[in-house]
Amino acid sequence: MHLAELNIGRLLAPTDDPRVAEFMDNLDRINGLGKRMPGFVWMMEGSGEPGTGNTEAKIDGDPQFVSNLTVWEDVESLERFVWGTIHKQFYDRRTEWFEIMGDQHFVMWWVPEGHQPTLDEALERQEMRKTQGDTDAAFGWSYLPQAQMWRARHCTPETV
């Protein structure tokens, strides 16, 4: 089995606004790094236009929602990318570009090798986690005993 993850954020401003320009200007760089990481399997792609990432996959028709849907070989591979690369520096600055979301906005789940989840599937998993808490079908970092880097980096409550 491989590990799928969905992370959703809502930008403070439209993607072409100067307030989120630094984030948008580095999106291809960070996504490209992720794709080159050992253990990376797949990423939901956008239009392919430089600097857009997957920003055109709107949630509830809202163009400021940004979703990141990826698949990894294992927990450790995803952790190395999230907490052990320059991604962590952008993650630490997320409140400069994103609203703090009161609802859960992150979910992981196991998928068969070769499966590429859809955004709808991922949103269903997110809803499962929101309504049922962490289960084998939908979970956060704290559910995974092997998630050691997450524990060491002392993730803040709004990100679990």
Side-chain angles (χ1 to χ4, degrees), residues 31-56:
N31 286 345
L33 172 63
K35 291 176 187 178
R36 292 188 305 274
M37 293 292 296
F40 171 82
V41 175
W42 174 83
M43 174 183 282
M44 178 176 66
E45 297 288 352
S47 66
E49 294 295 317
T52 62
N54 194 39
T55 56
E56 55 281 310

Side-chain angles (χ1 to χ4, degrees), residues 53-67:
N54 194 39
T55 56
E56 55 281 310
K58 297 168 184 40
I59 298 173
D60 294 333
D62 187 336
Q64 286 176 229
F65 272 113
V66 177
S67 57

Side-chain angles (χ1 to χ4, degrees), residues 15-26:
T15 56
D16 60 353
D17 189 288
R19 292 174 286 175
V20 296
E22 187 176 6
F23 173 79
M24 294 303 298
D25 289 349
N26 284 281

Side-chain angles (χ1 to χ4, degrees), residues 81-98:
F81 170 65
V82 172
W83 311 112
T85 68
I86 193 169
H87 175 278
K88 172 84 166 70
Q89 294 173 21
F90 283 86
Y91 175 85
D92 288 343
R93 295 178 57 199
R94 67 196 176 281
T95 58
E96 294 178 35
W97 307 299
F98 290 92

